[in-house]
Each structure stands twice: as C-alpha cells, then as structure tokens.
Amino acid sequence: MKRLVLISSFLFCLAANAQQNIFMQNEIMSPVVNADHSVTINYFNPNAKSVEVSGDFLDKQKVQTQFGVQEVDGTISLTKNDNGLWTYTSQPLAPELYSYTLSVDGQRVLDPSNVYMNRDIANYSNIFIISHEKGDKGYLYSVNDVPHGDVARVWYDSPTLGMQRRMTIYTPAGYASSKEKLPVMYLLHGAGGDEEAWPAQGRAAQILDNLIALGKTKPMIVVMTNGNTDCAAAPGEWAAGMYKPSFTGRGGQSKADMDESFKDVMSYVESHYRILPGKKNHAVCGLSMGGLHTYQISKMYPDTFDYIGLFSALIQLSPAPLHGGAEAFSNTTVDDKVAQQLAQLFAAKPTLYWIAIGKTDFLYQNNEIYRKYLDSKNYKYEYVETEEGHIWRNWRDYLTIFSQRCFK
Amino acid sequence: MKRLVLISSFLFCLAANAQQNIFMQNEIMSPVVNADHSVTINYFNPNAKSVEVSGDFLDKQKVQTQFGVQEVDGTISLTKNDNGLWTYTSQPLAPELYSYTLSVDGQRVLDPSNVYMNRDIANYSNIFIISHEKGDKGYLYSVNDVPHGDVARVWYDSPTLGMQRRMTIYTPAGYASSKEKLPVMYLLHGAGGDEEAWPAQGRAAQILDNLIALGKTKPMIVVMTNGNTDCAAAPGEWAAGMYKPSFTGRGGQSKADMDESFKDVMSYVESHYRILPGKKNHAVCGLSMGGLHTYQISKMYPDTFDYIGLFSALIQLSPAPLHGGAEAFSNTTVDDKVAQQLAQLFAAKPTLYWIAIGKTDFLYQNNEIYRKYLDSKNYKYEYVETEEGHIWRNWRDYLTIFSQRCFK
C-alpha cells in the first residue's frame, strides 16, 4: 500500500497545480453521530446572523396553512461559538434514516460538510442513519458487511409507449455467478419519483441485501421502473436533457399509462433474467401512485401475482372525475369493470394482498373506503396501519415487512 | 395519460397533508442555456449582500498561493434586481460540460435551482452542458436520443485484497439482447475518485453511447473499477458507512495495490461477460493515478492489451522514494525491473500505446522524461498534447479520442 499513499501525498502537495478544486475541502465534520445515538450538526459561517436546521429527527411543529393546521418537520436554531462554528446536538434518536437541511439567514442550504443526500423532485436534503443494533431499521438501511446484490440501470423497449425506457434492476448476491432462477418483485414509485426513487430514498438494495443476509427475505430480483410514461428515464438520464424536475414528470403527452405499458416491462424482465415461473414467484408492490399502478396491474393480470402490496396507495374504484378535488378520494362508487376485475383477481386467490397506510396519510379515507369494499365482498387481504403519513419512513418499513412475506 | 395528470394534480393539491417537502419547489430556473450558447445563472435571495459565481466557463484568474501564482476558475458577481433575483449571463460558450458554484456573502453554496451536480471528493459543483451541433463535445457528453447502454454496479470477489469490491460496468446497447461477444476496455480513475468518477464526471456512458451511435467507436464493454484498495466501493456504498470522503480513499492499510489486484477484476469480467479473446480485443486506460495503474498493468501483462492509454498519467520509472516531493516526478533513474518489463511490453508490439497530457499539467515533466526514455529505446507510442492541465475536461476528451482508436 506504500505506493498509493505516496502518490496521494504527492498529488495532494501539488494540488494547486492540478487545477482541480481539491483544495476546497473543509475540515468540518457534520453530521456527527454520537455514542448515545444523538447527532451533532456542525456548520462554519462566522458572518451568518442565524442558522437553523430543519429535519425529520426534530419534534414536529404545527403550522397554519391554507389546508388548516398541519404538522411539518421541526426546526431549531444552531448555536454559534467564538470561532464562527454553529452547532446543534439532538436528543438520542431511534434507529432510522433521517433527512435535514439548513437555513442560513433565511435561505435553505445543504450542509456543506455532508456529501450524502437524497433528491425529492427538485430538492435535495442531507441524510444520516442512526442504528442501535444489528437488525434494526438503521441497520437495514445501511450498507453492512454482507454480500451485496448488483444494481443495474437497464434500457428496455416499450412498444406500447414507442420508446426505449430505463429501469433499475437489483439482482441479489450470487445471482451473477449462478444459473439459478429466482422470484421477481416489481417495486413501483410514487408521483414525483422515478427509477432512482426506490434505490435512493427507499434504500431498496440495502434493505434487500440485509434481509437476505439475515435469512429473513428470500433472494429475489427487484425491478424498479419509471412510472412517468411521458419520460424515458429519471431527469438528466434521457434525451430531454438537464431539465428541472417537477411533480408531474414532464407533464407531457404519452401514449399510455404505466399499467397499460407494464406488459413491456414484464416481457423484458422475463426474457432477460432467470425468473422462476408462475404466480407464486411474482410480486408487485408500490407506493402512492405506484400503489395505484399496483392495484391496476394486479387486477389486469389476475393470474400473474401471488404477492400484491399497496403502500399508501391511491385507489380508484371508479374512473376519477376529470376535475377532482379531495372528494375524489372519498368516492365510494364502484365501476362495473373494476368490480369484475377485482372479482376475477380475488377468485384467483392471491397468497397475500397486503395493504399498508399511516394513520395520518391523506389517502387514509380513500383506503378505508377500499377496505370496506373488500370486506363487503369477503375478499381476503391483510392490513397494516402505522403511525404518521405519506412519507418514505413508512415506505421503507413497508418494503421491509412486505418483502419478508413474499415467496414463502 | 389523463389519469396520471389527474392524480398528480390531486396529490399536488393535497401536498400539505402529504408531509413530504414537495412544497419547497422554487420556481427559479437556473441555469438557463440561451439560444446564443451563453448561460444565465439565476439565484433568488433578497437579503444577500453579495452573490458571486465561480466556474470553469469564466475567464481564469491568477491567484497567489503557497506554490506561487496559479490559475484558478474565474469568479464574477451577479447583479440583483428589485425583486431580490440575482442574475449573471455569460458570453457565448464553446461546447463543453461546465461546472460552477455560487458564493453568497462569502459562503460557497450550490445553486438551489439546479439539481445536476458532480461530486469531487467531498465537494459538489453544479453542472450544465453547452452543445452547438450534433457531434461536438457538448453533444457527446449529453444523453441524446440514441440507443443506450446499460450501466451496472457490480460486486466482485478480490481474493488478493480479501474483500468483495464494487465496480461499474457499461454494456453497450444491444449487448443484453444478443449472444455476441465484445471487446473490453478497462477505464481507471485518478486519486480522489472511485467507481463513480468516470460515469459521473467522465460522462463515460454518454460518450460511448454517442460515439457508438455515430459509428465512430466500436461497441465495447467498459469496466470502471475502484482504484483505492483500502475501500470496497465509493463513499457510502460499502460497510465503512457514510464517512466524509478524502483525497486518499480511507487512507488505511490494504493487502495490495490496484495493479497487483487487477487480475481479480479481469478474472471476474472474463468469466461473467461475453468478451472477445486475445489482446486485440483488450484495452486499458486511465487518468493520473489510474494512468499509473495503466502503466503498471500494461507492463505486468505484456500480452494482454493491444490498446493502452495514459491520460495525464503519473509515471514511475523507478520505485518512488518514501518521502517524495516535486523532485520525485522528475526522477530520471530507470529501475532494472521496469526496464525489463517495458522491453517485454514493447517487444509484444501493442497496436496503440497512447500518451496524452495537457501543456500545463503538473505531470508534464514527468511524462516528458518518460517519452524521452521511450524514444531512447525506439519504443513506439503516440503522443497527444492538449491545452490546460490536470482536469476532467481533458480526460473526457482523451476518452473520446482514445476510444475511437480501439479495436480497429
């Protein structure tokens, strides 16, 4: 190892000549996860008048909005020392992946000492992970010293949409070096996301790696699609260039919805990966809009999936009105075709029809209406209700729980 | 497409309930690439006293450093309007991928309206691309409407290092759906980089996609390793957790250098991908430290590679002294073993031994010494000298040129 260290020290000494910005390293360490599982945020800025941190590791605060009083991430001031270093140390934190941003004199900025961040549409937040012990949520979301699956960005042909499209495919450790066939899970993102959402915010590869290593989840191939059919791929990854991402994808026209074009995904996966046959080896699940896609796809293909997971899903029992508002979520009318499709799906007896939602999710009532309908028909499903609402914290947890139930 | 748009508008209306930060979208567009190929940076901050942009699209400035007068990226002030919007519009720019950051009241910050950025060790910079016409540098670095290769993060076993390690593998469009064998290029990064450097800063997948689509480069598999043998993977992607990246990898002990462990990479690639046999189907190239690795690997395996590319490479004609400074780069002593290995390599007549460096590169003299040695031995090589120094702008260009020369 002598040579590499030596070269590095050479290059470091000569970096000013190197014309790269390698001098701009700052020496501040932030965030620092402390032994008691608290976290310390450090930010150097002698000239700032106020520095605050907002994050989901702080007590939520209530704010008045046009929709009434809402709970949002907590905000707290950092304290400045004589050297211009601003700091804040939290309470000890439960195992979780947390997000935060700073506000400097009222302007939202990223923590310049933390290179780890997630993008949510057009906004980045810094992240850190708290783990207390092996097997807890923080452990499951971390990269640990376990065998790792490969993660590929793959282009497939979608004749339905008339385009080449990108998806992310996880193949578990060992797959590449064996001839073994495996079951497959299709894992779908929500509105505002893309084929990078589950790998990044969802920590899907880490969750699968860790659960498989713990013997809790069966090795499986996980297919993470892009559900915005007006886009070929995530922002910046297709011919539309480096556009500013928005909540509605590109908001353009497309030839079909994700559920209608899903056969192209399945066709590619089945022909390019070693997939075990039959519905007992096929799962589909998704969050929010991806939950809607899951709901649609599962009833479009009643004999294909034995494991169906609706994570904070939007359910449409009848085609949604063109100009809908909140009332569209509470529409109890059941369309004839939907009723027929659901009858066919449940007649095929899926092994697990799994519905999960948080108590404060804005789709709670929408799900409640759906569950009442399923109850009225005696359609068998499992229901999990968690704290909080329409957040990644829940969706990582739902993937953790649901993936352990599949293919067993 | 009605359904998706509808749902999106639902979710948008109800976002306050959704508890996600989708409200934090700002409406500022920045950067804006104008029709005349200038760029406008927009930044909203009514309270800031000064806002500057630094970037490689501005005229370089000379600054006094401990190493004497150095040229660094230019810096220029933005102008504030009555609404608190700061703007700057550049001169028309040549085709290129450009980087910049903002400075707000003296604090370096990212442009909050630009989600596109590259990480260099522990620092992010925002990026944008200027292209004038099909085939220019900006075009080659962009994702265009051409067939795309797949890009996979793959874990391989390195018995030499005693660890599972991660690398990035590009397989060109069509590979996944054919049985065809292809040539392979090993593409190595420099100090401070990792297996994400060539895919991100190097735009390797875009360059290959576009050159292949233009018929200028042969379809090939490109293997981008991690040359820091004290790390299993890029920061955050292995069991060391979310540490702050440094110039020297983790700076820890490892059992062997990259060149010594390179056989594990080749072994994995040859056994898991469909690679055409023989040295005429094998290329190795790399930048800076990766150029050193290329230099070492090519002479360790004189019969393996017909295409060898040294991009701003550090050359060691003799084992470097333990405490080296600038003089170590100008060491003209040639070690006996090195002389013997080079004699063997050039006796095997590689089709292309390609050396490229910028005129102001701090390794210019080091390369000059090496070229003189090659000349003294009548060893055949090609030499390309470009403007500027030790920068990604050169390395993207070198990959563009070198890849067109391979396997022909």
Side-chain angles (χ1 to χ4, degrees):
Chain A
M1 194 52 200
K2 271 179 195 157
R3 191 186 303 132
L4 179 59
V5 170
L6 180 67
I7 295 159
S8 300
S9 79
F10 280 176
L11 293 181
F12 193 71
C13 291
L14 287 151
N17 287 306
Q19 300 157 344
Q20 291 290 93
N21 291 334
I22 54 183
F23 266 177
M24 287 184 160
Q25 303 275 37
N26 78 56
E27 299 303 317
I28 308 296
M29 301 302 283
S30 178
V32 177
V33 175
N34 304 304
D36 66 351
H37 308 305
S38 65
V39 70
T40 299
I41 310 289
N42 292 310
Y43 173 71
F44 179 73
N45 187 335
N47 301 320
K49 294 196 196 83
S50 80
V51 178
E52 294 176 321
V53 55
S54 297
D56 58 4
F57 65 101
L58 299 167
D59 290 339
K60 286 199 184 302
Q61 57 191 354
K62 291 192 159 107
V63 295
Q64 183 68 44
T65 76
Q66 60 182 118
F67 304 101
V69 175
Q70 300 291 336
E71 285 200 330
V72 300
D73 286 349
T75 295
I76 202 159
S77 292
L78 279 69
T79 306
K80 185 183 177 183
N81 75 7
D82 292 343
N83 299 321
L85 182 71
W86 298 77
T87 63
Y88 170 74
T89 297
S90 74
Q91 296 296 310
L93 299 171
E96 186 53 77
L97 183 154
Y98 295 98
S99 301
Y100 70 99
T101 55
L102 300 177
S103 175
V104 178
D105 295 338
Q107 288 291 315
R108 185 182 192 271
V109 297
L110 291 165
D111 181 345
S113 303
N114 184 355
V115 304
Y116 302 101
M117 51 179 87
N118 274 336
R119 180 177 62 81
D120 191 20
I121 311 177
N123 284 299
Y124 287 93
S125 299
N126 290 113
I127 59 170
F128 63 89
I129 294 176
I130 300 285
S131 172
H132 296 190
E133 60 184 11
K134 186 171 178 175
D136 68 19
K137 286 183 187 179
Y139 176 90
L140 295 179
Y141 307 157
S142 296
V143 182
N144 297 304
D145 191 11
V146 299
H148 300 299
D150 296 342
V151 178
R153 271 71 183 181
V154 168
W155 288 85
Y156 71 100
D157 185 37
S158 178
T160 309
L161 296 170
M163 48 167 118
Q164 302 284 317
R165 304 192 77 230
R166 192 171 179 257
M167 56 184 165
T168 304
I169 300 193
Y170 168 89
T171 50
Y175 175 82
S177 299
S178 83
K179 302 270 182 210
E180 201 185 358
K181 291 186 176 181
L182 291 178
V184 62
M185 170 192 280
Y186 295 90
L187 179 59
L188 313 181
H189 66 81
D194 51 56
E195 76 275 20
E196 301 293 346
W198 272 110
Q201 294 157 293
R203 306 291 288 175
Q206 288 74 38
I207 291 170
L208 268 290
D209 277 357
N210 290 318
L211 288 174
I212 291 168
L214 289 168
K216 292 185 169 182
T217 287
K218 292 261 188 185
M220 63 180 79
I221 290 167
V222 181
V223 177
M224 293 163 270
T225 52
N226 184 314
N228 311 303
T229 51
D230 58 341
C231 302
E237 301 290 347
W238 61 296
M242 293 184 174
Y243 59 89
K244 186 165 183 174
S246 74
F247 189 70
T248 53
R250 288 290 276 172
Q253 288 299 311
S254 64
K255 291 185 180 173
D257 284 336
M258 191 58 200
D259 43 7
E260 293 158 348
S261 69
F262 197 72
K263 58 181 182 289
D264 301 335
V265 174
M266 291 192 286
S267 166
Y268 187 92
V269 170
E270 296 287 339
S271 61
H272 288 74
Y273 292 81
R274 303 187 307 271
I275 309 290
L276 283 167
K279 69 193 289 250
K280 72 181 176 187
N281 293 304
H282 285 71
V284 61
C285 56
L287 75 92
S288 194
M289 180 184 82
L292 171 63
H293 292 149
T294 298
Y295 158 80
Q296 305 277 29
I297 289 163
S298 60
K299 63 186 175 59
M300 283 170 73
Y301 302 99
D303 300 313
T304 301
F305 302 100
D306 247 348
Y307 302 90
I308 298 154
L310 307 179
F311 306 169
S312 312
L314 171 61
I315 304 297
Q316 292 182 321
L317 287 174
S318 58
L322 271 175
H323 301 285
E327 69 281 2
F329 295 129
S330 51
N331 185 356
T332 55
T333 313
V334 182
D335 181 74
D336 284 349
K337 189 183 168 195
V338 169
Q340 191 187 336
Q341 283 183 321
L342 286 172
Q344 207 178 344
L345 171 62
F346 284 96
K349 294 190 190 305
T351 306
L352 179 64
Y353 195 91
W354 194 83
I355 299 173
I357 197 160
K359 285 176 186 168
T360 63
D361 195 305
F362 71 103
L363 292 171
Y364 187 90
Q365 193 195 355
N366 172 272
N367 271 240
E368 199 171 32
I369 291 164
Y370 185 44
R371 283 185 284 114
K372 278 185 186 159
Y373 177 75
L374 296 176
D375 290 340
S376 76
K377 296 289 183 181
N378 275 319
Y379 294 155
K380 196 182 142 206
Y381 66 94
E382 285 191 31
Y383 177 61
V384 169
E385 193 170 289
T386 62
E387 298 302 314
E388 302 197 85
H390 211 71
I391 56 175
W392 273 105
R393 194 183 288 202
N394 275 341
W395 302 324
R396 286 187 291 267
D397 197 32
Y398 299 164
L399 174 61
T400 300
I401 300 168
F402 181 72
S403 71
Q404 295 182 58
R405 299 291 307 281
C406 288
F407 315 125
K408 287 178 175 174
Chain B
M1 195 53 198
K2 273 179 193 158
R3 193 186 299 132
L4 179 59
V5 171
L6 180 67
I7 294 159
S8 300
S9 77
F10 280 177
L11 293 181
F12 194 72
C13 291
L14 287 151
N17 287 305
Q19 300 157 348
Q20 292 291 91
N21 291 335
I22 53 184
F23 267 177
M24 287 184 162
Q25 303 275 36
N26 77 57
E27 299 303 317
I28 308 296
M29 300 303 281
S30 180
V32 176
V33 175
N34 304 305
D36 66 351
H37 309 305
S38 65
V39 69
T40 299
I41 310 288
N42 292 310
Y43 174 70
F44 179 74
N45 186 338
N47 301 319
K49 293 195 195 82
S50 82
V51 179
E52 295 176 321
V53 56
S54 296
D56 59 3
F57 65 101
L58 299 168
D59 290 340
K60 286 199 185 300
Q61 56 191 353
K62 292 193 158 99
V63 295
Q64 182 69 43
T65 75
Q66 60 183 118
F67 304 99
V69 175
Q70 301 292 336
E71 284 201 329
V72 300
D73 286 349
T75 295
I76 201 159
S77 292
L78 279 69
T79 306
K80 185 182 175 182
N81 75 7
D82 292 343
N83 299 321
L85 182 71
W86 298 77
T87 64
Y88 169 73
T89 296
S90 75
Q91 297 296 310
L93 298 171
E96 186 53 79
L97 183 153
Y98 294 99
S99 300
Y100 71 99
T101 53
L102 301 178
S103 175
V104 178
D105 295 339
Q107 289 292 314
R108 184 181 193 272
V109 298
L110 291 164
D111 181 346
S113 303
N114 184 355
V115 303
Y116 302 101
M117 50 179 89
N118 274 337
R119 179 178 62 81
D120 191 19
I121 310 178
N123 285 299
Y124 287 92
S125 298
N126 289 112
I127 59 171
F128 63 90
I129 294 176
I130 300 285
S131 173
H132 297 190
E133 60 183 11
K134 186 171 178 174
D136 68 18
K137 286 183 188 180
Y139 176 90
L140 294 179
Y141 308 157
S142 296
V143 182
N144 296 305
D145 191 11
V146 300
H148 300 300
D150 297 341
V151 178
R153 271 72 183 181
V154 168
W155 289 84
Y156 71 100
D157 186 35
S158 178
T160 309
L161 295 171
M163 49 168 113
Q164 301 286 315
R165 303 192 77 229
R166 192 171 178 258
M167 56 185 165
T168 303
I169 300 193
Y170 168 89
T171 49
Y175 175 83
S177 300
S178 82
K179 302 271 181 210
E180 200 185 357
K181 289 185 177 183
L182 291 178
V184 62
M185 170 191 282
Y186 295 90
L187 180 59
L188 313 181
H189 66 82
D194 51 55
E195 76 275 19
E196 301 294 345
W198 272 111
Q201 292 157 294
R203 306 293 289 179
Q206 289 74 40
I207 291 170
L208 269 289
D209 277 357
N210 291 318
L211 288 175
I212 291 168
L214 289 168
K216 293 186 168 181
T217 288
K218 291 260 189 185
M220 64 181 77
I221 290 167
V222 181
V223 177
M224 293 163 270
T225 52
N226 184 316
N228 311 302
T229 51
D230 59 340
C231 303
E237 301 290 347
W238 61 296
M242 292 184 176
Y243 60 89
K244 186 166 183 174
S246 75
F247 189 69
T248 53
R250 287 290 276 172
Q253 289 298 310
S254 63
K255 292 184 181 172
D257 283 338
M258 192 57 200
D259 45 5
E260 294 158 347
S261 69
F262 197 71
K263 58 181 183 284
D264 301 335
V265 174
M266 291 193 285
S267 167
Y268 187 91
V269 170
E270 296 287 339
S271 60
H272 288 75
Y273 292 81
R274 300 187 309 269
I275 309 291
L276 283 167
K279 69 195 287 250
K280 71 179 179 189
N281 293 303
H282 286 71
V284 61
C285 57
L287 75 92
S288 193
M289 179 183 83
L292 172 63
H293 292 149
T294 298
Y295 160 80
Q296 305 277 29
I297 290 162
S298 61
K299 63 187 174 59
M300 284 170 72
Y301 302 99
D303 300 314
T304 301
F305 302 100
D306 246 350
Y307 303 90
I308 299 155
L310 306 179
F311 306 170
S312 313
L314 170 62
I315 304 296
Q316 292 182 321
L317 286 174
S318 56
L322 271 175
H323 301 285
E327 72 280 3
F329 294 129
S330 52
N331 185 357
T332 57
T333 314
V334 182
D335 181 72
D336 283 349
K337 190 184 169 194
V338 169
Q340 190 187 336
Q341 283 184 321
L342 285 172
Q344 208 179 342
L345 171 62
F346 284 96
K349 295 191 191 302
T351 307
L352 180 63
Y353 195 90
W354 194 82
I355 299 174
I357 196 160
K359 285 174 186 167
T360 63
D361 197 304
F362 72 101
L363 292 172
Y364 187 90
Q365 193 193 356
N366 171 272
N367 272 240
E368 200 171 31
I369 291 164
Y370 184 45
R371 283 185 283 116
K372 280 183 184 158
Y373 177 74
L374 296 177
D375 291 340
S376 75
K377 295 288 183 185
N378 276 318
Y379 294 155
K380 194 183 144 207
Y381 66 93
E382 286 190 32
Y383 177 60
V384 169
E385 193 170 291
T386 62
E387 298 301 315
E388 304 200 84
H390 210 70
I391 57 175
W392 273 105
R393 194 184 289 203
N394 276 341
W395 303 325
R396 286 187 291 265
D397 197 31
Y398 299 165
L399 174 62
T400 300
I401 301 168
F402 181 72
S403 71
Q404 295 183 57
R405 300 291 308 280
C406 290
F407 316 126
K408 286 180 176 173

